[in-house]
């Protein structure tokens, strides 16, 4: 059990690092401490999700149109954007890991990022770059809600609280979009939610796959 907890805690630290380090470097470049101020534009050019790359735009490197569906999730639009997502990861990732372990957490996180990117390109008409881990954060929240839903169904408990939780997450998405004056990629959040619900449904808890203990 101790080794299991160590594994998912290290994974959470890794998720935080791969989100924080790029933004920290870009912040220092913009402050003139290292590199050059144009590093952010360069990072977005190579790592953000650009819908135009699926419509004939010239990629900066081979494979960019595919890789951008993951890489966008580790870039952010500034400190506040990053901070909000890190808070979400710190809150929700341990809840997810306790349900499905480190491998399950990694899978749900990755699927949520991919699903967020896919729904963004399907529903958005924006040609601007999209970045951020919020699709994964919304996905982690939705996976947690799914497990609550599954447990309540198994116990034949009322499901009204589940629909209330899902509605709250959707309202957070809508309110965030309104506060940001339409500049927030709500499509990414929706995609992360859908992907995580499906992924959580397919996953089994580690203890569910273990054989029963022999009778003494």
């Amino acid at each position: 059990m101790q080794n299991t907890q160590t594994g998912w805690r290290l994974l959470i630290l890794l998720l935080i690092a791969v989100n924080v380090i790029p933004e920290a470097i870009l912040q220092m470049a913009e402050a003139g401490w290292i590199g050059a101020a144009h590093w952010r534009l360069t990072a977005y050019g190579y790592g953000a999700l650009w819908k135009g790359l699926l419509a004939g735009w010239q990629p900066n490197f081979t494979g960019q149109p595919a890789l951008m569906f993951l890489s966008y999730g580790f870039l952010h639009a500034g400190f506040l954007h990053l901070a909000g997502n890190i808070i979400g990861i710190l809150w929700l990732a341990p809840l997810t890991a306790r349900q499905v372990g480190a491998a399950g957490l990694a899978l749900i996180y990755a699927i949520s990022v991919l699903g967020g990117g896919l729904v963004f390109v399907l529903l958005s008409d924006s040609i601007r770059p999209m970045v951020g881990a919020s699709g994964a954060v919304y996905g982690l929240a939705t996976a947690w809600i799914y497990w609550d839903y599954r447990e309540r169904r198994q116990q034949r408990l009322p499901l009204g609280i589940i629909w209330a939780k899902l509605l709250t997450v959707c309202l957070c998405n809508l309110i965030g979009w309104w506060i940001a004056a339409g500049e927030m990629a709500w499509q990414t959040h929706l995609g992360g939610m859908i992907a995580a619900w499906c992924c959580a449904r397919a996953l089994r808890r580690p203890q569910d796959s273990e054989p029963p203990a022999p009778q003494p």
Side-chain angles (χ1 to χ4, degrees), residues 21-34:
I21 291 174
E23 182 60 31
I25 292 173
L26 297 179
Q27 290 279 344
M28 288 188 288
E30 289 173 337
W33 297 346
I34 61 173

Side-chain angles (χ1 to χ4, degrees), residues 178-204:
W178 177 74
I179 291 174
E183 295 298 313
M184 187 186 77
W186 63 269
Q187 303 93 337
T188 307
H189 303 164
L190 176 62
M193 292 174 65
I194 295 171
W197 183 278
C198 296
C199 186
R201 188 175 186 274
L203 286 175
R204 300 177 66 183

Side-chain angles (χ1 to χ4, degrees), residues 15 19 71-77 81-82 84-86 89 109 112-113 130-140 188-189:
L15 290 175
N19 279 282
S71 60
Y72 85 88
F74 303 105
L75 295 171
H76 288 82
H81 187 205
L82 171 69
N85 285 330
I86 292 300
I89 292 171
Y109 193 98
S112 298
V113 173
M130 190 271 289
V131 296
S134 51
V137 172
Y138 271 77
L140 293 177
T188 307
H189 303 164

Side-chain angles (χ1 to χ4, degrees), residues 1-179:
M1 178 64 71
Q2 184 64 36
N3 289 338
T4 299
Q5 290 183 356
T6 300
W8 61 253
R9 285 172 178 162
L10 287 175
L11 175 59
I12 292 172
L13 289 176
L14 176 62
L15 290 175
I16 292 171
V18 296
N19 279 282
V20 169
I21 291 174
E23 182 60 31
I25 292 173
L26 297 179
Q27 290 279 344
M28 288 188 288
E30 289 173 337
W33 297 346
I34 61 173
H38 65 76
W39 277 14
R40 183 176 296 275
L41 293 178
T42 302
Y44 289 174
Y46 281 83
L49 193 151
W50 298 86
K51 184 173 181 178
L53 289 176
L54 303 177
W57 289 14
Q58 182 66 34
N60 288 314
F61 60 91
T62 302
Q64 184 180 2
L67 185 60
M68 68 178 181
F69 281 92
L70 279 176
S71 60
Y72 85 88
F74 303 105
L75 295 171
H76 288 82
F79 174 77
L80 292 179
H81 187 205
L82 171 69
N85 285 330
I86 292 300
I87 291 171
I89 292 171
L90 286 171
W91 173 36
L92 296 165
L95 298 176
T96 304
R98 291 188 182 102
Q99 287 284 340
V100 292
L105 168 60
L107 181 60
I108 290 175
Y109 193 98
I111 290 295
S112 298
V113 173
L114 289 170
L118 178 60
V119 173
F120 177 81
V121 299
L122 289 175
L123 299 184
S124 174
D125 58 2
S126 174
I127 62 171
R128 298 174 62 183
M130 190 271 289
V131 296
S134 51
V137 172
Y138 271 77
L140 293 177
T142 304
W144 174 49
I145 294 172
Y146 171 78
W147 289 315
D148 192 11
Y149 161 80
R150 183 173 63 184
E151 185 172 344
R152 295 183 72 86
R153 280 199 63 183
Q154 291 172 347
Q155 298 179 9
R156 300 182 182 276
L157 296 173
L159 297 177
I161 186 64
I162 302 301
W163 313 132
K165 288 179 179 180
L166 283 174
L167 179 60
T168 299
V169 175
C170 291
L171 284 175
C172 287
N173 193 15
L174 179 61
I175 292 170
W177 174 82
W178 177 74
I179 291 174

